[in-house]
Amino acid sequence: MADAPALSIRDLEVRYGAVPAVRNLSLDVGKGEIVGLIGPNGAGKSTTLHAIMGLVSARSGIVKLDGHPVLGRKPESIAHRGMALVPEGRRIYGDFTVEENLRLGLAARRGRYGKDVLAGAYELFPVLRDFRKRQAGVLSGGQQQQLAIARALVAQPDVLLLDEPSLGLAPSLVDDVFAALAEIREGGFAVLLVEQRAQRTVALADRTHVLSNGELRLTLGPDDAGDTEKMVAAYFA
Amino acid sequence: MRRLLEPVVQFLAPALLVVGVGIGSTLVSSSNEIYFLNALVSVAIVVAIYVFIGNSGVLSFGQMSFVAVGAFAAGILTIPLESKTGVLPELFPLLRDHTIGNVASLLLGAAAGGAFALIVGLPLMRLSGLAAGIATFAVLEVTHNILREWTKIGPGATTLSLVPETTDAVQATVGALVVIAAALAYQRSRLGRRLRASREDPAAARGVGVNVHRERLWAFTVSGALAGFAGALLVHLLGSITTEQVYLELTFLTLAMLVIGGLTSLWGAVVGALVVSALDSFLIEAEQGVDLGISLDLPQGTRLIFLGAIMALVLIVRPSGLTGGREFRLTR
Amino acid sequence: MTATVYAAVDAQTLADAVGLGAIYALMAVGIGLVFGVLRLVNFAYGQLIMAGAYTLAFTAHWRVVWSIVACFVVVVALSLLMDRAVFRPLRGASPAVMLVTTFAIAFMLQAIALLVDIRDDTIGEIATSIAPLNQPTTIQGVDVRKITIVAVVVAAVSLALVALLLLRTTIGLHMRAASADFGTARLLGVRANRVIAFAVLLSGLLAAIVSVMLTVQFPFVGPDFALRDTIVVLVGVVVGGIDRLWTATLGGFAIGFTTGVINGALPTEQTVFLPSAVFALVILVLLLRPAGLFAWGRGAVERV
């Protein structure tokens, strides 16, 4: 199974009541890859991530994590199997310290760990070390995003899901986030990135799928980043 | 045609049940008659409580206060004048020197309940959720305490007796029908609909201009008036009343009836009241030994166990109640 | 009037009030822990204490130590059973349904207790073995019952241990996270069932402790044992602020202390309308600060 993708989705279908939110969705994410998922608002991007993570129930489909089927399991079980989600809006515990937030991320970590288990997180985002005893609520938006990503990484997942990490951030901070994602790819993680910033995502990711009205319309490569016509066509297909 | 038919059907369904029970009460032995009449008065109480809780979605533990106020007001003012000074020596002269008739006492009960509800509701309707639950519970406690200790307005801790037992089959049935009709009229009116909108989504309702506080206050007042009316029916059924009879246990019982029937519909309130009353009556009989082919003799006090257990079970298995919380419909 | 009250609030009354406040604080924590993870107000919490009291009464002929152990076993077992049979199926139900169901369970358990109790044809059992702790002792000229001292010490130690657990251990961190935002906690791998079971266990242990301390002071055990206290504590918890554990605890202590002081200060004839005064005050506080007296910040933000 050495070549099986870290995350494999086949024919995912999610409904809200009678309304289908996601249909026939199939994609793969391999280790050391970033796969982007872009599309207009309401296209079903967040729903896809929530379904994979077990937060909403899917009608049908197969989701495999390292070859093991996980669709329909409880979120904490999926987390323990090696999938981590950085949710939309970050969902930081503002009243807890930065360090406590990171320690929460350890809940899903498999295997033993030593006292300096958080060192890697502090190395990736040094500002977190400076603020580690402070309440997470005093961090700025960009810093909170870093905390949210670090918190997910601390669990050493095989697959990292991100839901609009650049939402509400100033352009320079967006740069930081995307740079961090590139580093994370170097680290061998499999990353599924849901984003609004289409162009930057297409440029960064190994491939980017365009989701519209719940269905995959198009797949773009990094070379398509400059091709505005193609992007517009994809969005409004 | 369907639109005109709907309110008629929604009234007739519970009305027929109620009339059926009323007729039934005249056909059974006099020792069983009390169960039937009690069931009808329960319907009145539960529907009154439903008018507020069902329409607003706010859980109130204090509605029994209005039943109490109605019961005591009606009771005290219908005791024959000759006996009153002997039985209740410390009463205020206004209460001691006057006596009114049966129907007047029912109206007085409604007025007293409604007025009390209005006064209490003015400040309290701003609250929701747990705060509302505790605050309304506090109202129940205050009412109980004052009624129990203030001998100038009532019998205090002693039983209020010698009340004329004017709630017979006719009064009970008509009384229940009146409460049902009033509840239906309210919930179908603009007032009721606005309140139900706020129950589903308070923010959205405010967004379209619904004054949630005022709508809740309306429901609370109507509920209080109907509860007071039901209280008057109750005191005329029993011929007596104590503060403990309109306190925690009856609160639990009527809440159970409403929840088991279905919190959000009038049909649910009526069905719940009748079903649980029937069950309760059966259990009371069983506690004294009953013969169902096999002899069933339950020890004293078990009925609350069964009621509690059944209530919990219904809530776990079918939280929307026996009726699913919907009104009666002819078509599926 | 004030002079009379002052004179009546002697050291004895204060000591008793602190003792009562301490016990109520423990109950508040027990209720608050379960509310935190389940968003469920357990009306039947008092029944756990009642069960413990009955256990002490029925084992009154045992050695005290074993009697207390039995009490703990029964209370914790009942607590876990309540979670399994009632709380778990109710997860995700509306607050109204949860409230009314625990209300029903409370009545049901009371009735069961009555059934068990009445087999000897009397209502009430007496827990004789631990009553001796109710003896007074004199400290610096003030008569204080031993149990009051024990209650305060035990409560303080228990609260400190709970605080330590919540703030310094991993499971405590998980519980706090679950209370603040359960969904995100599960995302991060916090196991829902484990955290809930732990909260229920802790809550049961606290109920058992309270059970012992109350039974010492009130050895006559009936089916309505601790019912009044539970209602008062619930009110105190909501008034203090149920959203956070420390505001809930403070509310429990405050209402216990206040009740103790007023009960001790006023002569009996004047206390008949005391419940009205207290509950009127509760209404006032809730109107002014619906989120709780000690809750800071945005004021009227309704959680439930």
Side-chain angles (χ1 to χ4, degrees), chain C residues 106-132:
Chain C
F107 263 91
M108 189 182 91
L109 289 174
Q110 250 191 290
I112 292 178
L114 180 64
L115 262 192
V116 170
D117 187 347
I118 210 160
R119 282 185 311 177
D120 59 358
D121 282 331
T122 58
I123 299 183
E125 308 284 339
I126 307 189
T128 47
S129 55
I130 56 177

Side-chain angles (χ1 to χ4, degrees), chain A residues 9-98:
Chain A
I9 305 173
R10 292 285 175 273
D11 299 318
L12 184 67
E13 182 176 337
V14 184
R15 283 174 179 260
Y16 286 132
V19 180
V22 173
R23 265 179 308 209
N24 298 329
L25 188 109
S26 300
L27 60 83
D28 288 331
V29 186
K31 285 203 191 322
E33 269 195 327
I34 295 181
V35 172
L37 193 59
I38 60 177
N41 265 330
K45 313 191 294 292
S46 278
T47 307
T48 305
L49 291 188
H50 289 169
I52 299 172
M53 202 62 200
L55 294 172
V56 306
S57 50
R59 219 359 167 52
S60 62
I62 302 176
V63 175
K64 285 196 189 160
L65 181 60
D66 287 329
H68 300 116
V70 293
L71 194 63
R73 291 185 173 273
K74 293 189 285 192
E76 58 258 49
S77 299
I78 297 180
H80 275 265
R81 282 184 175 277
M83 186 133 63
L85 170 66
V86 180
E88 187 180 342
R90 290 143 226 154
R91 310 258 226 110
I92 300 287
Y93 289 92
D95 293 333
F96 294 7
T97 66
V98 166

Side-chain angles (χ1 to χ4, degrees), chain C residues 22-86:
Chain C
I23 293 179
Y24 280 15
L26 286 183
M27 288 174 70
V29 175
I31 292 174
L33 279 174
V34 169
F35 180 79
V37 295
L38 285 175
R39 286 293 176 272
L40 180 147
V41 178
N42 187 7
F43 268 106
Y45 193 69
Q47 268 52 53
L48 292 174
I49 301 172
M50 174 204 78
Y54 266 111
T55 311
L56 288 169
F58 282 133
T59 59
H61 49 283
W62 295 11
R63 287 182 53 189
V64 175
V65 160
W66 293 116
S67 195
I68 294 181
V69 167
C71 169
F72 269 75
V73 167
V74 166
V75 172
V76 170
L78 185 60
S79 177
L80 292 171
L81 179 65
M82 242 192 242
D83 175 48
R84 212 47 190 78
V86 180

Side-chain angles (χ1 to χ4, degrees), chain A residues 10-229:
Chain A
R10 292 285 175 273
D11 299 318
L12 184 67
E13 182 176 337
V14 184
R15 283 174 179 260
Y16 286 132
V19 180
V22 173
R23 265 179 308 209
N24 298 329
L25 188 109
S26 300
L27 60 83
D28 288 331
V29 186
K31 285 203 191 322
E33 269 195 327
I34 295 181
V35 172
L37 193 59
I38 60 177
N41 265 330
K45 313 191 294 292
S46 278
T47 307
T48 305
L49 291 188
H50 289 169
I52 299 172
M53 202 62 200
L55 294 172
V56 306
S57 50
R59 219 359 167 52
S60 62
I62 302 176
V63 175
K64 285 196 189 160
L65 181 60
D66 287 329
H68 300 116
V70 293
L71 194 63
R73 291 185 173 273
K74 293 189 285 192
E76 58 258 49
S77 299
I78 297 180
H80 275 265
R81 282 184 175 277
M83 186 133 63
L85 170 66
V86 180
E88 187 180 342
R90 290 143 226 154
R91 310 258 226 110
I92 300 287
Y93 289 92
D95 293 333
F96 294 7
T97 66
V98 166
E99 185 167 319
E100 282 178 322
N101 270 277
L102 288 172
R103 289 206 162 271
L104 259 182
L106 288 173
R109 185 158 169 139
R110 298 157 289 178
R112 299 171 187 277
Y113 47 85
K115 278 203 306 192
D116 56 352
V117 59
L118 300 179
Y122 292 140
E123 224 180 278
L124 185 59
F125 300 114
V127 71
L128 296 180
R129 185 195 293 122
D130 301 331
F131 278 82
R132 72 175 184 278
K133 295 291 186 195
R134 306 280 304 276
Q135 278 198 333
V138 309
L139 295 177
S140 71
Q143 292 164 338
Q144 287 191 359
Q145 189 60 64
Q146 293 180 356
L147 175 57
I149 295 176
R151 183 179 66 179
L153 289 176
V154 146
Q156 289 199 324
D158 295 322
V159 175
L160 185 66
L161 310 169
L162 295 119
D163 199 344
E164 305 211 22
S166 74
L167 193 65
L169 295 184
S172 61
L173 295 174
V174 177
D175 291 338
D176 291 341
V177 168
F178 275 78
L181 289 177
E183 266 193 71
I184 290 170
R185 173 171 45 190
E186 301 286 312
F189 294 91
V191 178
L192 180 57
L193 173 65
V194 161
E195 255 298 336
Q196 281 273 32
R197 294 176 194 273
Q199 219 160 14
R200 295 202 63 156
T201 306
V202 173
L204 172 72
D206 296 273
R207 36 175 198 294
T208 304
H209 302 289
V210 182
L211 196 64
S212 180
N213 261 340
E215 288 189 12
L216 279 183
R217 301 282 176 188
L218 192 60
T219 301
L220 301 166
D223 303 324
D224 298 319
D227 193 341
T228 329
E229 252 183 58

